[in-house]
Amino acid sequence: MKIRKKKKSPGTVLFILPTVLLFVLLLLYPVLSSVFYSFTNKHLIKTRLDMVAFENYASVLRDKEYWNALLTSSKWTLICLAGQFLIGFTAALSLERIKHGRTLFRTLLIVPWAFPTIIIALVWKYLLNGVSGFIPNLLLKLNWVSAAPQFLSNKDLVFPTLVFINVWFGFPLIMVNVLSALQTVPKELYEAARIDGAKSGQQFFYITMPQINPVITLLLILRTVWIFNNFDLIYLITGGGPAGLTKTVSIYAYEVGWGLKSLGRSSAVSILSLIFLTIVIVILLQLQKKTNKNE
Amino acid sequence: MHGLKKNKVRVAGSYIYLTILALLAVFPLLWIIVSSFKSNNEMNKFPTSFFPKELTMRNYNLVFEELKFGNNMLNSLIVSFASTVLTVVIAALGAYAVVRFFPKFGKLLTQGLILAYMLPTILLAVPYSITLGQVGLLNTRIGLIIIYLSFSVPYALWLLVGFFKTVPIQIEEAASVDGANKFQIFVTVVLPIVAPGIVAVAIYTFINTWNEFLYSLVLINSRDKMTVAVALQSLQGQEILDWGVMMAASTVVVIPSVIFFMCIQKFIAGGLAAGSDK
């Protein structure tokens, strides 16, 4: 009883006050003002502000370029997710299987994760550039190609190349999280399954997957959001080019806001993304609920 | 017998696969470092040898003397260090309060903060630049430090809640019987127990702020206040792209990140898995 009374003492509020203030000032207020700006003609430099109702939304939704960007973003998110999970998962399972050098391999494999995006962009541009780049020249020397491939300006190569770079950077996070999730699966379950004669494939789908399902779903959601929203990787490598082929919604929003200086319209683009992502996440969560029921 | 052989093949396959992945993972880092010591002449030759024939410090001299990159590094250090300290203080107090004093409200708050993760940076960048402009903090390091809290505190709080949950309440009760007040208990009893977690969170925050690009791009526009990420980007705009110089600048930016990251790799491993059952 005494402890309960103490809990209500005003001192405890001081502990949480900074967090609440931060939440309100740096997250809640900006989001609400973004919603507000999306209904105005807010300009980057001009100070005049008029309400324009749904005009920003209408003009965005009428813009063919927006729909192209949305398509690019969706394609980009799906393919990168698949790549990151494929490599991350297989790397984690391989690490589980080996006996020696596990720490060494894990340490080497997480190196890309520590890279600042700008350095990822610089080093890959340097390695891949069509004139003096190491990789195109190496392929030439090996006689695998007849002319130095233009990885970042050829319209057929640029998208797969960006996906490769994204997966290179993103797989370690998946690997590390899958690995630590794998270690939470009780070993007895596998022993029991082995006695029952379950093959390793069966063990994976009937024991491992259901056990680590919650972590995977969380990872899937966080990564979907991150890849979809990510701006700097593509912006720094191709800037959305060549010919707008790699222009995602984030780059589109940046161009509208800081290129065309139309912050109101840029806000509308971002709000639309937020709605889109919310729908995707709700669907993902529903799917997880369903698979849980089926098991 | 057959199963044993199959297993051996699998293990061998795993080693091969991991070796290839590891080579791919570290190659760019090695390439940056060795290139930074190559002369211009050697950089543009093909086949260029992996290791430089003669080591030159020319690139580093250019980076620090002509481009004044040291100034940008100082900016990044100030911004990252200040936001890390603020983040750790705010998040540690907040996480403790969530665990001990306000479990219900705390849960709501952490969920709200996770939702914040969903917001596109570009969405927040608009109101941030407007508001900072209104209060006169646009193009200042202080403005950038405050804005960095928006993404570092939620994540730090989320991670720290997990650590504070491991602190046994009996220890705190014992201290409170001895007459210590809540703040004293927090500082002298609780913090030492979660110190490893706090250090890890601090390092993680430091790396993330050190690596940040978009906010720095839109909120800072004068060269003398630029952080390393944006300064590197602006180097690309110069007439002649000098890869040697770029790689030298990259080396001094990426090395601290990688070393810090190695230090907390054990902690990173448990991060999300621990968070998922919160």
Side-chain angles (χ1 to χ4, degrees), chain A residues 153-199:
Chain A
S153 51
N154 178 301
K155 67 175 172 46
D156 297 319
L157 290 177
V158 64
F159 198 80
T161 306
L162 283 175
V163 169
F164 171 83
I165 298 172
N166 177 290
V167 172
W168 174 83
F169 164 73
F171 89 87
L173 185 141
I174 310 289
M175 177 190 80
V176 159
N177 283 292
V178 169
L179 195 63
S180 62
L182 285 176
Q183 273 146 11
T184 63
V185 182
K187 293 281 172 286
E188 303 84 64
L189 288 178
Y190 291 113
E191 260 155 54
R194 225 169 288 141
I195 292 165
D196 290 343
K199 294 205 179 76

Side-chain angles (χ1 to χ4, degrees), chain A residues 288-295:
Chain A
Q288 195 220 359
K289 262 191 200 149
K290 238 183 210 162
T291 50
N292 272 354
K293 262 186 207 151
N294 289 349
E295 269 150 17

Side-chain angles (χ1 to χ4, degrees), chain A residues 26 90 107 125-126 177 180, chain B residues 17 24 43 128 236 265 269 272:
Chain A
L26 286 181
T90 48
T107 307
K125 270 164 123 173
Y126 179 37
N177 283 292
S180 62
Chain B
Y17 180 59
L24 275 173
M43 300 264 303
Y128 286 162
Q236 281 189 96
Q265 59 162 314
L272 207 66

Side-chain angles (χ1 to χ4, degrees), chain B residues 140-211:
Chain B
T140 64
R141 281 167 292 228
I142 296 174
L144 198 59
I145 292 166
I146 297 171
I147 296 311
Y148 278 1
L149 299 179
S150 69
F151 65 84
S152 59
V153 170
Y155 202 68
L157 185 99
W158 195 40
L159 292 171
L160 284 175
V161 164
F163 283 105
F164 282 116
K165 275 190 177 160
T166 64
V167 179
I169 193 155
Q170 291 85 342
I171 300 183
E172 292 172 48
E173 279 167 357
S176 120
V177 170
D178 291 342
N181 69 30
K182 288 202 177 59
F183 191 72
Q184 285 167 332
I185 295 174
F186 176 70
V187 173
T188 59
V189 179
V190 180
L191 278 187
I193 300 177
V194 292
I198 297 220
V199 171
V201 168
I203 294 176
Y204 196 74
T205 305
F206 189 89
I207 298 173
N208 279 337
T209 48
W210 178 261
N211 292 359

